[in-house]
Amino acid sequence: MSSDFEGYEQDFAVLTAEITNRIGKVPKLLGDEKKQMVSNVEKQLEEAKELLEQMELEVREIPPQSRGMYSSRMRSYKQEMGKLEADFKRSRIAYSDEVRNELLGDDGNSSEIQLIKLREERAHLLDNTERLERSSRRLEAGYQIAVETDTFHWAVTHLLQYFLTSQPSPHIQHHSYSSLTLSVFMKLYYFRLK
């Protein structure tokens, strides 16, 4: 079992090295060459994700007393995968100095201050994009909570209205009727927590 995991680890290491190499080449390419390289990297990233999934399945089959070491290795591989995806995202919009000069028609006499400023602006834009994505995820999570809360509120209100408008049966004592109400509310509250 661990030999399968180690085989997947070796494949993952080779694949991530290839991806890193190709990501470094992306900013230096233009046009169709760049599109082809981007497509190849995307395919390799998908292969790496599939390898991670296989490795995770192998870890689940390892006995619990040995699983800790493999789990920590999996966490580091997932972090590495996240870093590769972030680097790839940046490389797709980045251009090397030569390509930038060629696109802008510069003869290479650009001042260092302009280059530094462009790099700072690019980094600032990337940071703002990531911050916007995080904020969007937080807003979506907040919206989901609001929808769930509204649904829960509606259910409790209607249930309460039902209990307040219906008369308890003469055979049911008041004490058991209130216990029943409390039981239903507790079940609703438990359901809400799930």
Side-chain angles (χ1 to χ4, degrees):
M1 178 130 14
S2 65
S3 63
D4 290 340
F5 184 84
E6 289 168 2
Y8 290 135
E9 278 184 311
Q10 290 173 355
D11 292 344
F12 185 77
V14 169
L15 191 57
T16 54
E18 288 177 21
I19 292 171
T20 302
N21 184 24
R22 288 187 174 182
I23 286 174
K25 292 179 182 178
V26 169
K28 298 175 184 170
L29 301 174
L30 286 174
D32 291 335
E33 286 180 329
K34 185 169 185 167
K35 287 179 186 175
Q36 182 63 37
M37 184 65 75
V38 166
S39 175
N40 289 340
V41 172
E42 286 173 341
K43 288 176 187 173
Q44 286 184 317
L45 285 171
E46 284 302 315
E47 287 177 39
K49 286 179 187 176
E50 289 174 11
L51 274 174
L52 280 177
E53 289 173 6
Q54 289 297 322
M55 290 164 66
E56 235 177 305
L57 291 174
E58 290 295 323
V59 167
R60 289 182 186 158
E61 294 178 12
I62 294 174
Q65 60 271 20
S66 305
R67 196 177 298 166
M69 174 181 70
Y70 291 103
S71 295
S72 65
R73 285 158 68 179
M74 280 301 299
R75 279 192 297 276
S76 70
Y77 293 142
K78 287 179 182 179
Q79 288 175 346
E80 183 178 354
M81 188 69 194
K83 184 182 178 308
L84 281 175
E85 289 174 333
D87 290 346
F88 177 57
K89 186 176 178 181
R90 285 187 188 100
S91 74
R92 289 176 67 176
I93 60 172
Y95 291 101
S96 69
D97 291 340
E98 310 89 60
V99 172
R100 187 190 59 76
N101 288 340
E102 185 179 318
L103 287 172
L104 296 176
D106 288 346
D107 58 1
N109 293 333
S110 298
S111 70
E112 283 295 313
I113 295 172
Q114 287 177 322
L115 291 175
I116 291 170
K117 185 176 180 181
L118 286 174
R119 287 184 182 135
E120 288 174 352
E121 289 174 356
R122 185 182 312 142
H124 185 68
L125 285 172
L126 285 172
D127 290 342
N128 285 341
T129 302
E130 290 174 4
R131 189 176 306 133
L132 182 62
E133 289 172 356
R134 282 193 308 268
S135 297
S136 296
R137 284 192 299 269
R138 277 192 232 123
L139 282 172
E140 289 172 4
Y143 176 76
Q144 184 63 32
I145 289 171
V147 167
E148 290 173 6
T149 302
D150 187 48
T151 304
F152 178 74
H153 177 263
W154 180 86
V156 169
T157 303
H158 282 80
L159 186 63
L160 184 59
Q161 187 178 22
Y162 171 78
F163 278 116
L164 291 176
T165 58
S166 67
Q167 295 297 321
S169 169
H171 303 293
I172 300 177
Q173 301 230 338
H174 181 67
H175 180 296
S176 62
Y177 185 74
S178 62
S179 296
L180 175 66
T181 306
L182 181 60
S183 171
V184 170
F185 278 117
M186 292 304 288
K187 286 181 181 179
L188 275 174
Y189 183 74
Y190 176 75
F191 174 74
R192 172 68 176 102
L193 291 178
K194 278 189 170 185

